[in-house]
Each structure stands twice: as C-alpha cells, then as structure tokens.
C-alpha cells in the first residue's frame, strides 16, 4: 500500500469522532465534503444501494447500464442465481471481465455522462467507484457463488473443528487474495453466528458457522477477517453477518422471520460476543470488520412481547439503535463502521410485509430499513406487487428516495450521514478515485485455485471421530478394508449449475469416494483394493430400493459387501431420515457388515439409537474434494482423526459447555507474574529476568499457565479461576480468595503479604481443582524466595492390553492371508495323493466303478476346501492368516474326508 493511500485512509477515518448515538451529525473533512457537495440528490441516494441484475451484459441497452449511468447506484452484488457467472473453465476469467466492465461503465458514465432523456441536459457526475460484492462462504454450492476456478475452500464449521485460528487466517488470506484479484471489493461474510443449540432436524445454519461457543467463534472470526484483509491488501471491505446473530433461530433468515427468546443481556453473552471481537479493538484494525450485515430476526425479551406485527430488528429503529449504542459498538460505529441491511428481496421479508393482506411495496421496505439505521440497502431481487420485475422495482425505489431527499430535510440529513460513511470506506479502499486504482491487474489471475494444499490441511486437521471414541476404534475396526473385501459406497449427491444454461455439477459425484479409494489404494498404488470390489450408488438409488422400485444391482451389491460406506452432505432433503429408514427396514442388508458413516456437513443429525447402529461415524464438515480424499484415508486407516466438533451433538451427549470447561485431569501451572527484563543487549531472556525475594508488606503477582479444556485447547476467555492464599501451621487457614477470569487461557492475580508464616498459593478452575503451589516462608527477619511445588495427578489404573505377537513371514502363506505358490503346489500334491489312495483302495476292496466315485468325491471335496480358504469366504480368510500352511492342509484333508463320504454314498446308489 503506497503512502498516498495510507494518508487518505487516515484522512477518511479521521472524520469520525467518538459519538454516543448513531444519529449524531458527523462533520466530514474538506475532501469528502467537497465531493458530497458536488453530488446531486440522485447520486447521493444511489450510493445507498446494492443492486443485482441478470446475466453478464453491460452494454448500453442493458438494465445494469441504466442503473449505473442514470440512477448512480453505489454497488452491485453478483450471484450465480442471476446468471452473473459462466461455466468452467471460463468462470473466473469472465467474472474478472464482468467486474472490470462494470467499473469501466461507471467511470465512463462519470467522465462522459449520458444525456438526460427528459431535459436533454448532460449533468456532471462525480466519479465514485462501485462496490462489487459477493457471498463466497466456502464449501461449494449453495454457499459459494463461484463454483470453479478458485481454491475449493472449506466451510466455516470445518475451520471451527480445527480449533486453530492460524488456519482460519490462512483460509481468509486465500479467499481475500483471490476475490480481490477478480476485482471484488465487498465481501458479505463471514458468518459470526453462534450455533448454541443445533437443530437435529435441520433448518439451521449448519456448516455455515464457526461453532457453538461464542469465544471460539469470535477467535476464529477475528483470524478469518484478518486473513481477508491481509490477502486482499486491504482492498476488500468485510461485512460480517448475520448481525446481531441468528444461531439461535430454528429456520434460515432468508426463509422466514424467526423469533428467538433472548434478552439483551443474553444476547451480549452469546450472540453478540463474536461481533464484539471484530469491532472493539482499535489497536489491531486488521481484525476488525468494515460493516455489519443486519439480519431479519426478532428477539422476544429484548424487543418486548413479540406479535405477528413486531418488526424484525433490521426494520426496528429503537432496537437496532439500542444495540449499536452498546459500548462495544459505539466506538466502532463512530469510527466509520457501516451498517448494511440483509437481502430485502428474500421470501422472509415479503411474507412479513404481506401477512395482513397488504400488497408488497419495495419502497416501504427500503424506507423502513433505511430509517431503522442501515447505511447500505441490499435490495437483492426485490419485486413490488405493482410492477413486473426487479429492475423496474429498483428504479422506483431510487426515484422515491431522491424525491424524499428533496422534500424532507431530515431525511436528506440522514442520507448525507450515510453517504459520508460510504465515501470514507471507498476512500479507504482506493486512496483516490481513479479507474487505474480500481481495476486490478490481470496478473493476479495466474495463481487462482492454487492453494489446494491448504484445503487438505484443514480437512486433515478437522476430521473428527464422532463414535466410537478413539480408544475403542481399534476394537470395532481392528483392520482397514482387506484386499479381498467388497465395499459399497452410498453417497448423497446433489446437482447444481453455475448458471441456468450451464452444465450440471455434482456436489459430490456419486463415485467420488470410490475413485479416491482407487487412486490412493488401488492396483496402481498400495494395491489394497480393486475396482471390481468397489460399487457406488446414490441416496436416490437407496430410496428406490426402499420404495421397491427394483433398482438394478444395488440390493445384490449391498448384500455381498463386507463394508457399507454412507455419506451425507446435508439434511435439506431429509437424508438422515432416509438412512434411518434403510437401517430399520432392511436390517438384513446391514447385518454383519461394517457400516461407516461420513457427514460432509454438520455432525448432529443422528440420535443415540442411530449412532449405535454405525460401526464408525466421522464428521468431515465440508464436501470439497480434499475432504473426500481425507474420508478415503480415514476409511483405510491411514489417518487418525484429530479434530473435535465445534458444536454440540446430542446423540453422543457432547455439549460445548462441557467440552470447553477446564479439563479436571490437569495440574494448573502457577508462576510468578514477572515483568520481562532485557539484558545488556536489549534482549529478553529467562536468564536476564531476576527472581525477586519477598517480605512482609510486599505484593506478589502470580499467573497461571495456559489452562486447557476437555479438547486440549485453551479455555475460553472469561473462565473463572479462584486463587487462594493459605497460611499453614497452627492457627492457619485461608487468608484470601480472589476470583478472576482468563484471557487467552491465562488468569492473573496479586496478593499482599501482611502476615508472617508459611504461605501457600493455589489456583482452581472448576472442575480442575489441582494446581502447582507457590510456597514462601514469610518472616519478620528478612526477604525470602518463592518455591514452586508441583503435585502429582493420581491417574486412573488402565489395563494395558497384551500386544499381539508379530506375524512371521511364511514361504507358504502371505501376511495378507493368501496361499503362495508353494502352498498351492503342495496342497495339489496332497490332494493328488489322496485321490490315488482312494482309487487304489476302491479297486482292491470294491470295484473300479466305486473306486472312481470315491476318488472323484475326494478330488471335489479337497478342491472346494482349498478354494474356500483361498478366497477368504465368510471370514475364513483371517483364520488362514493365523493358522498358516498347517491349517491349510488340515482344512483340505477335512474336505477330502467329506468328499470321500459323499463318494462312498454315491457308489451305493
């Protein structure tokens, strides 16, 4: 970033002084005031709106050309549903071209403004760059708008399952770099909602959130936002959603205006906490968001008793103002933070406004949202009941705002205040308004989609074993699929398109896991499986089987399989219910099979009974290709799952309150809280920091080490730690107890030394009640040192299983359990000898006809017994691995004996 840009950013932000209310009039600096003064009412009003359009046409006859050149809209949002993107492999190149064309159109309209068709005049227009936004959340369709050409980045829930903010920052950096390279300058995300109580029936945000703990959602959100800013080199405005939080809603905000029973105090503890984390630290602006996307939701208890006519918070001036005036937001708001309405064209908004039989008026909706306190209005595909399309609706909304601006000074003042904020943010992006600064160089397109290694790292770090626990996994699955075992994959796959005329794309191809398994473990690699042993079907095929529509082969293949691997990608089509029905109705097909379930979405759709029927249940959280690869590696036990669910799972009694509580099986470390002292070279080293001595009258400052939760991560900020000072000996007892809270897993406190005697200082954080002790013998005579005593945990007695003896290499039987050539040759000799003996004895004791039948019986019995072992039928494979060549000969001999009996019976017929 050049010096001129930095200066102008400081200048643009300096216009915002601390304010106690959002309605305070802000005095802009001369540069922005001059710009504002030169703008017509239409230009000022236009800056308030984010609009959408259909297709990729930006010619002078297009609707978007008219909205930009004549109605001066301030920004656009590109959406796949509006056919703003084309099919692969040209998706990103054409997106770059479209964004460039939009910015050039806007520039040309300012430099060479079109003639007004009514007055015939050519009005001067102030050039202000367009905001070009996108909601690219990750995890592919439907939460990604661009489906190819960019790095396939994971869902937020996958990032949350890593519990690693560094990975979140890296993913944000890739996202920011790639979007900025295409020319986007507005990012609608990330979602900072807290999924406190997941809905097993679906209908919530599922994998679109970082998790269910407000602290960790805030930490991951801060890191992700920081990455977005770094990757885009601060050329991307970040608008966090869905403010003030919809994690507690039981339906999606775009589907219906939901109601959540929360007071403002409860909101501050849960829903608002992550938003505090990205708006409240002026010392680290890179982790701060530029705006908040206000969702359409109502809060009973905060907005009073909810009635059908109670407005969502996005349209409620009193409620929205009350939240924005909280100390955690007021400084951010005063420093220029933008408030952006969520999509006003959604079904939920329409249904709310027409519930009393009224006609839907986009002008009223936009007016209500603006007067509630939103600076930017995202119109989406809004359509009034009295017009034909979104384009005409948008024009009428803009015209009504311009007319209101001219007629109502108070409204005009409110518009100007928001336009000042918007202009300041655009100056923050570009330093000065020049088309050269606005359009990115095409060189940035060369590295798009290159960060697949990062996606794999997230997949590997987030993969979670839901059931059984890791200690029991080796018991229920001692071995991965063996070379002679059959696997049937049942995969949940959905079809989508990049545009309405683009080719179909599968979310996860029906044979994705089969192909990944063959690539990693097939004949061309580890040779642990073969193509003819793997079969793939979709959940639609499974549905047809249950509905008795006689789909070909699926019943036969499942019946003959040793492993049944089921994958789901979400619960939108009741996929968990279908799997539940299959296991219930066709228990005969899953009996004695290893049933493995992979969730490439949220992990909480199955209850305890369902999970008890799975041999193993894994959560992958995202359906990108790298997560499918990790699933294959988990199936073949090459990887150990190391992630932990960031949301509660009722089916295994896993809840976030317990998961993030201090682990009771730890010793909380205690240290003196000393200021680091630099040595003679100015470097801070442990040797340079002197350990002080203490005497009566001194104050001793102490701190804990990092206190870990039950998943092995630092406990959330705000975890209570109790420090206790104890005087030992006669007349002793607890002198003082202090409760403090943690910051980044560490708690700090201090105590005054005012009594002589042997003092012990301990710490506890329920249920972790054991800590190291600081001991010092304070006396009247002089200063003493502090001794740190570390107790020992009494570990539970564990029964160590006897290790299996290592298998010896045999010339006859392979370690995999197959007979080698030498075993086959000797077995055939043994069989031939038995046939000769039987024939010879039959000729002497009976007659040639009987002798032939005895010999044939022995031959067939021996061959059947050998092949039964060699092909490992019905689990005998493992028996042969254990017994070796002697077991092979014994089994062949038993086959010969049975064959001889059959031949003897035959000879008597």
């Amino acid at each position: 970033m050049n010096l001129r840009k930095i200066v102008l950013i400081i200048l643009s932000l300096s216009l915002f002084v601390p304010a106690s209310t959002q309605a305070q009039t802000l005095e802009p600096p001369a540069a922005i005031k001059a710009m504002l003064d030169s703008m017509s009412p239409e230009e000022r009003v236009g800056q308030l709106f984010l609009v959408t359009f259909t297709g990729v046409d930006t010619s002078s006859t297009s609707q978007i050309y008219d909205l930009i050149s004549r109605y001066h809209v301030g920004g656009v949002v590109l959406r796949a549903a509006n056919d703003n993107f084309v099919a692969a492999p040209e998706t990103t190149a054409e997106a770059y071209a479209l964004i460039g064309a939009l910015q050039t159109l806007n520039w040309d309209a300012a430099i060479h403004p079109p003639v007004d068709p009514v007055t015939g005049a050519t009005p001067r227009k102030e050039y202000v760059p367009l905001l070009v936004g996108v909601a690219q959340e990750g995890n592919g369709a439907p939460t990604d708008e661009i489906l190819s050409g960019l790095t396939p980045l994971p869902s937020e829930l996958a990032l949350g399952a890593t519990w690693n903010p560094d990975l979140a920052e890296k993913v944000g950096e890739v996202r920011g770099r790639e979007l900025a390279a295409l020319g986007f300058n507005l990012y609608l995300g990330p979602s900072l909602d807290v999924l406190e109580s997941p809905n097993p029936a679906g209908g919530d945000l599922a994998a679109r959130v970082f998790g269910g703990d407000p602290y960790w959602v805030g930490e991951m959100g801060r890191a992700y936002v920081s990455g977005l800013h770094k990757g885009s080199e601060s050329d991307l405005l970040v608008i966090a959603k869905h403010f003030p939080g919809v994690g507690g809603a039981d339906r999606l905000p775009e589907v219906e205006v939901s109601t959540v029973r929360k007071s403002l105090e409860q909101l501050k503890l849960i829903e608002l906490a992550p938003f505090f984390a990205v708006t409240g630290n002026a010392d680290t602006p890179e982790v701060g968001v530029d705006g908040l996307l206000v969702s359409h939701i109502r809060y009973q208890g905060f907005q009073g008793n909810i009635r059908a006519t109670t407005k969502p918070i996005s349209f409620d001036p009193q409620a929205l103002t009350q939240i924005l005036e909280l100390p955690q937001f007021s400084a951010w708001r005063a420093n220029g933070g933008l408030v952006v309405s969520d999509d006003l064209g959604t079904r939920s908004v329409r249904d709310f406004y027409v519930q009393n039989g009224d006609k839907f008026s986009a002008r009223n909706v936009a007016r209500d949202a603006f007067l509630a306190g939103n600076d930017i209005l995202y119109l989406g595909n809004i359509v009034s009941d009295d017009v034909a399309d979104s384009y005409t609706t948008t024009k009428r909304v803009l015209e009504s705002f311009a007319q209101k601006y001219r007629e109502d000074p108070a409204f005009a003042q409110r518009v100007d205040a928001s336009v000042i904020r918007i202009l300041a943010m655009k100056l923050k992006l570009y330093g000065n308004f020049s088309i050269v600064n606005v359009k990115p160089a095409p060189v940035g397109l060369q590295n798009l989609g290159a960060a697949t290694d990062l996606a794999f790292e997230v997949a590997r770090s987030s993969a979670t074993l839901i059931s059984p626990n890791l200690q029991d996994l080796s018991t229920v699955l001692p071995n991965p699929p063996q070379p002679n075992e059959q696997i049937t994959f049942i995969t949940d796959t959905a079809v989508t398109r990049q545009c309405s005329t683009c080719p179909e794309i599968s979310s996860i191809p029906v044979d994705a896991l089969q192909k990944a398994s063959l690539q990693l473990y097939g004949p061309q690699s580890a040779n642990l499986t073969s193509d003819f042993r793997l079969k793939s079907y979709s959940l639609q095929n499974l549905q047809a089987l249950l509905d008795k529509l006689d789909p070909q082969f699926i019943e036969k293949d499942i019946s003959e399989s040793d492993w049944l691997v089921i994958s789901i990608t979400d619960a939108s089509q009741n996929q968990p219910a279908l799997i539940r029905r299959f296991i219930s109705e066709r228990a005969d097909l899953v009996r004695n099979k290893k049933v493995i379930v992979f969730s490439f979405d949220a992990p909480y759709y199955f209850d305890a009974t369902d999970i008890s029927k799975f041999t193993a249940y894994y959560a992958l959280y995202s359906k990108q290709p790298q997560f499918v690869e990790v699933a294959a590696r988990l199936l073949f036990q090459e990887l150990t799952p190391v992630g932990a669910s960031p949301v509660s799972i009722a089916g295994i009694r896993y809840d976030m309150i317990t998961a993030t509580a201090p682990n009771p099986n730890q010793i909380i470390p205690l240290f003196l809280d000393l200021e680091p002292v630099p040595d003679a070279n100015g470097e801070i080293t442990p040797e340079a920091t002197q350990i002080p001595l203490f005497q009566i009258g001194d104050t001793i400052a102490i701190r804990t080490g990092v206190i870990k939760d039950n998943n092995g991560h630092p406990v959330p900020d705000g975890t209570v730690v109790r420090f206790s000072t104890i005087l030992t000996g006669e007349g002793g007892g607890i002198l003082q107890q202090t409760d403090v809270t943690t910051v980044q897993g560490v708690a700090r406190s201090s105590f005054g030394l005012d009594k002589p005697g042997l003092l012990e200082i301990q710490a506890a954080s329920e249920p972790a009640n054991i800590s190291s002790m600081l001991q010092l013998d304070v006396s009247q005579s002089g200063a003493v040192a502090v001794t740190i005593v570390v107790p020992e945990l009494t570990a539970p007695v564990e029964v160590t299983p006897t290790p299996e003896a290592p298998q010896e290499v045999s010339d006859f039987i392979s370690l995999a359990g197959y007979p080698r050539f030498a075993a086959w040759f000797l077995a055939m000799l043994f069989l031939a000898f038995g046939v000769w003996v039987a024939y010879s004895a039959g000729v002497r004791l009976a007659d040639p006809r009987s002798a032939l039948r005895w010999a044939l019986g022995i031959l067939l019995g021996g061959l059947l017994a050998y092949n039964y072992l060699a092909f490992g039928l019905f689990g005998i494979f493992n028996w042969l691995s254990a017994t070796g060549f002697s077991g092979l000969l014994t089994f062949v001999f038993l086959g010969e004996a049975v064959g001889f009996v059959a031949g003897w019976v035959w000879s008597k017929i």
Side-chain angles (χ1 to χ4, degrees):
M1 190 184 301
N2 57 42
L3 180 61
R4 179 179 62 180
K5 185 171 181 178
I6 294 174
V7 171
L8 284 172
I9 290 173
I10 295 172
L11 176 65
S12 65
L13 295 179
S14 67
L15 67 94
F16 300 104
V17 295
S20 59
T21 68
Q22 78 173 71
Q24 179 174 350
T25 301
L26 305 172
E27 185 63 31
I32 292 182
K33 188 175 188 305
M35 190 182 303
L36 183 68
D37 291 343
S38 68
M39 298 172 72
S40 66
E42 286 77 11
E43 290 177 83
R44 300 183 190 198
V45 164
Q47 288 298 310
L48 304 178
F49 291 92
L50 287 173
V51 304
T52 59
F53 64 99
T54 302
V56 295
D57 181 17
T58 60
S59 67
S60 59
T61 60
S62 65
Q63 295 175 350
I64 191 59
Y65 179 93
D66 191 42
L67 291 175
I68 293 174
S69 62
R70 290 188 54 230
Y71 289 89
H72 321 293
V73 294
V76 300
V77 175
L78 302 187
R79 297 167 61 170
N82 290 337
D83 288 349
N84 296 141
F85 304 104
V86 302
E90 302 301 325
T91 309
T92 52
E94 290 299 317
Y96 173 81
L98 174 60
I99 295 170
L102 291 170
Q103 295 289 11
T104 301
L105 186 165
N106 186 44
W107 167 264
D108 291 341
I111 303 304
H112 308 290
V115 176
D116 190 303
V118 178
T119 64
T122 305
R124 178 183 178 276
K125 179 185 175 184
E126 185 72 34
Y127 171 64
V128 181
L130 285 173
L131 292 178
V132 183
V134 70
Q136 188 82 358
E137 296 183 15
N139 198 29
T143 51
D144 274 341
E145 300 294 334
I146 300 175
L147 304 181
S148 62
L150 301 180
T151 298
L153 294 177
S155 66
E156 288 187 15
L157 198 62
L159 287 172
T162 70
W163 301 78
N164 187 342
D166 289 340
L167 280 178
E169 182 172 357
K170 290 177 182 178
V171 170
E173 191 168 347
V174 172
R175 175 73 74 215
R177 181 173 62 249
E178 294 189 338
L179 292 181
L182 292 177
F184 289 104
N185 55 19
L186 181 71
Y187 180 67
L188 301 178
S191 166
L192 298 182
D193 303 286
V194 180
L195 199 56
E196 183 184 11
S197 300
N199 183 5
D204 54 23
L205 290 173
R208 297 172 63 187
V209 300
F210 286 115
D213 179 81
Y215 167 76
W216 279 104
V217 171
E219 287 296 292
M220 302 300 282
R222 280 165 54 90
Y224 192 87
V225 170
S226 175
L228 287 168
H229 285 310
K230 289 179 181 178
S232 66
E233 298 182 359
S234 297
D235 283 343
L236 193 68
L237 298 182
V238 180
I239 313 297
K241 58 185 183 185
H242 303 83
F243 183 79
V246 299
D250 56 0
R251 62 210 70 193
L252 298 176
E254 58 266 27
V255 174
E256 185 178 350
V257 174
S258 57
T259 299
V260 176
R261 298 179 183 273
K262 288 284 181 76
S263 67
L264 181 57
E265 290 305 312
Q266 290 172 316
L267 282 176
K268 287 160 66 175
L269 291 174
I270 306 295
E271 276 80 1
L272 289 174
F275 294 98
F276 292 158
V278 295
T279 56
N281 196 337
D283 297 331
T284 53
E286 69 277 1
V287 304
V289 296
D290 304 289
L292 299 173
L293 191 79
V294 183
S295 187
H296 312 307
I297 191 170
R298 299 180 294 195
Y299 288 98
Q300 186 169 354
F302 167 45
Q303 292 178 272
N305 292 324
I306 299 296
R307 297 177 176 85
T309 57
T310 302
K311 292 182 177 180
I313 203 164
S314 49
F315 300 101
D316 187 337
Q318 182 179 356
L320 185 55
T321 299
Q322 188 177 352
I323 290 180
L324 291 174
E325 286 182 345
L326 291 173
Q328 296 90 338
F329 294 128
S330 58
W332 170 84
R333 182 73 171 139
N335 286 326
L338 290 172
V339 178
V340 183
S341 80
D342 205 345
D343 187 350
L344 300 179
T346 59
R347 190 183 91 190
S348 60
V349 173
R350 170 175 286 274
D351 290 347
F352 173 76
Y353 271 87
V354 302
Q355 59 184 318
N356 293 325
D358 300 329
K359 287 190 174 182
F360 183 71
S361 169
R363 285 171 288 186
N364 292 342
V365 171
R367 180 201 61 206
D368 291 348
F370 181 66
L371 294 179
N374 294 286
D375 297 306
I376 296 179
L377 305 178
Y378 176 20
L379 292 182
N381 296 335
I382 195 167
V383 180
S384 290
D385 283 345
D386 58 347
V387 296
D389 54 36
S390 179
Y391 164 63
T392 306
T393 300
T394 300
K395 290 198 301 181
R396 291 193 179 181
V397 170
L398 289 161
E399 289 166 354
S400 69
F401 266 63
Q403 180 180 351
K404 182 73 171 174
Y405 184 96
R406 287 187 168 90
E407 296 173 350
D408 187 343
F411 184 82
Q413 185 180 17
R414 173 72 181 85
V415 169
D416 288 349
S418 291
V419 173
I420 287 170
R421 293 178 181 277
I422 296 166
L423 293 177
M425 279 296 179
K426 291 184 176 182
L427 274 175
K428 175 184 174 182
L429 285 174
Y430 296 118
N432 64 76
F433 295 160
S434 166
I435 190 64
V436 175
N437 289 342
V438 172
K439 294 176 64 175
V443 67
L445 302 178
Q446 297 177 359
N447 295 321
L448 296 180
T452 53
D453 288 349
L454 175 60
F456 180 80
E457 184 180 358
V458 174
R460 183 179 56 188
S461 301
S462 63
T464 305
L465 178 63
I466 304 299
S467 176
N469 59 45
L470 196 57
Q471 291 76 15
D472 293 337
L473 183 64
S474 60
T475 302
V476 298
L477 284 178
N479 296 304
Q482 299 298 308
N484 66 317
E485 292 184 317
Q486 305 240 47
I487 307 174
T488 296
F489 297 98
I490 309 292
T491 302
D492 176 18
T493 184
V495 173
T496 187
R497 299 175 188 268
Q498 181 63 81
C499 64
S500 60
T501 59
C502 294
E504 291 183 345
I505 305 172
S506 296
S507 57
I508 296 183
V510 67
D511 59 349
L513 260 173
Q514 177 177 338
K515 287 184 175 179
S517 299
L518 281 175
Q519 181 179 357
L520 294 168
Y521 307 105
Q524 304 303 317
S525 50
N527 199 24
L528 297 178
T529 190
S530 303
D531 189 23
F532 72 92
R533 295 191 182 276
L534 308 181
K535 307 295 180 183
S536 294
Y537 296 93
S538 67
L539 279 185
Q540 288 84 353
N541 299 138
L542 191 66
Q543 176 84 55
L545 172 65
L546 295 176
D547 293 342
K548 298 180 171 41
L549 299 180
D550 196 25
Q552 285 190 331
F553 307 123
I554 182 172
E555 182 172 8
K556 173 179 176 293
D557 285 336
I558 293 177
S559 177
E560 294 177 353
S561 291
D562 302 282
W563 296 69
L564 182 60
V565 180
I566 303 173
S567 301
I568 64 168
T569 58
D570 59 40
S572 61
Q573 304 298 321
N574 291 321
Q575 294 95 319
L578 176 62
I579 295 169
R580 191 176 297 119
R581 178 188 169 195
F582 166 66
I583 292 178
S584 174
E585 294 182 7
R586 296 306 308 267
D588 59 306
L589 291 181
V590 298
R591 190 177 298 119
N592 298 325
K593 290 180 174 55
K594 301 174 183 69
V595 180
I596 312 298
V597 176
F598 291 114
S599 175
F600 292 94
D601 190 62
Y604 47 74
Y605 298 131
F606 297 103
D607 60 29
T609 303
D610 299 328
I611 295 173
S612 69
K613 299 174 183 178
F614 305 154
T615 310
Y617 177 29
Y618 296 89
L620 279 301
Y621 310 102
S622 185
K623 55 183 177 288
Q624 300 287 31
Q626 292 73 22
F627 289 78
V628 175
E629 178 184 338
V630 166
R633 294 179 185 273
L634 290 171
L635 176 64
F636 282 84
Q637 300 183 13
E638 179 184 340
L639 291 181
T640 299
V642 296
S645 175
V647 291
S648 299
I649 306 174
I652 59 171
R653 294 188 176 182
Y654 173 89
D655 70 274
M656 292 309 299
I657 294 176
T658 302
T660 57
N663 186 340
N665 299 316
Q666 67 178 313
I667 297 174
I668 300 174
L670 285 185
F671 307 97
L672 293 175
D673 194 10
L674 304 176
E675 290 289 336
V677 179
D679 60 15
N681 298 322
E683 297 180 358
I684 296 176
T685 62
E687 294 77 11
T689 303
Q690 298 181 351
I691 305 299
L693 301 178
F694 297 93
Q695 58 187 4
I696 289 182
D698 288 344
T699 297
I700 182 170
I702 57 177
R703 66 174 177 84
T704 68
V706 176
I707 302 174
K708 299 297 182 67
D709 67 15
N710 285 294
N711 283 328
H713 308 113
V715 294
D717 285 4
T719 300
V720 176
V721 178
R722 171 166 291 182
F723 288 94
S724 301
T725 304
I726 303 169
L727 181 64
T728 63
E730 186 177 351
I734 298 177
L735 296 180
Q736 185 178 355
Q737 287 187 327
T738 304
D739 288 345
V740 297
T741 56
T742 57
V743 176
Q744 296 183 340
V746 176
R748 288 178 163 83
S749 186
S750 61
F751 296 93
L753 304 178
D754 52 6
K755 285 189 177 182
L758 181 60
L759 295 181
E760 292 181 353
I761 300 176
Q762 302 176 6
S765 183
E766 290 288 345
N769 294 317
I770 302 176
S771 75
S772 50
M773 288 184 292
L774 301 185
Q775 290 184 342
L776 64 164
D777 191 0
V778 182
S779 65
Q780 302 284 356
S781 58
V784 296
V786 173
T787 302
I788 299 178
V789 178
V790 181
E792 292 184 1
L793 277 177
T794 303
V797 177
E798 295 185 0
V799 178
T800 304
T802 303
E804 295 182 3
Q807 291 179 294
E808 297 181 1
V809 177
S810 169
D811 292 332
F812 299 101
I813 307 297
S814 70
L815 290 178
Y818 288 112
R820 300 182 188 274
F821 175 78
W824 172 83
F825 182 74
L826 291 177
M828 293 303 104
L829 287 179
F830 182 74
L831 182 58
F833 176 75
V835 169
W836 177 79
V837 169
Y839 184 78
S840 299
V843 169
R844 291 189 178 190
L845 299 177
D847 54 75
R849 177 175 171 273
S850 297
L852 180 61
R853 293 187 176 187
W854 294 358
L856 285 175
I858 289 176
L859 177 64
L860 292 175
L863 287 174
L864 286 173
Y866 176 84
N867 288 305
Y868 190 85
L869 286 177
F871 288 102
L873 300 177
F874 303 105
I876 290 294
F877 174 79
N878 293 327
W879 180 81
L880 181 57
S881 299
T883 59
F885 182 62
S886 60
L888 174 66
L889 290 183
T890 300
F891 206 78
V892 170
F893 176 76
L894 291 174
E896 290 179 350
V898 172
F900 172 75
V901 172
W904 181 82
V905 172
W906 186 22
S907 68
K908 298 299 181 181
I909 298 175

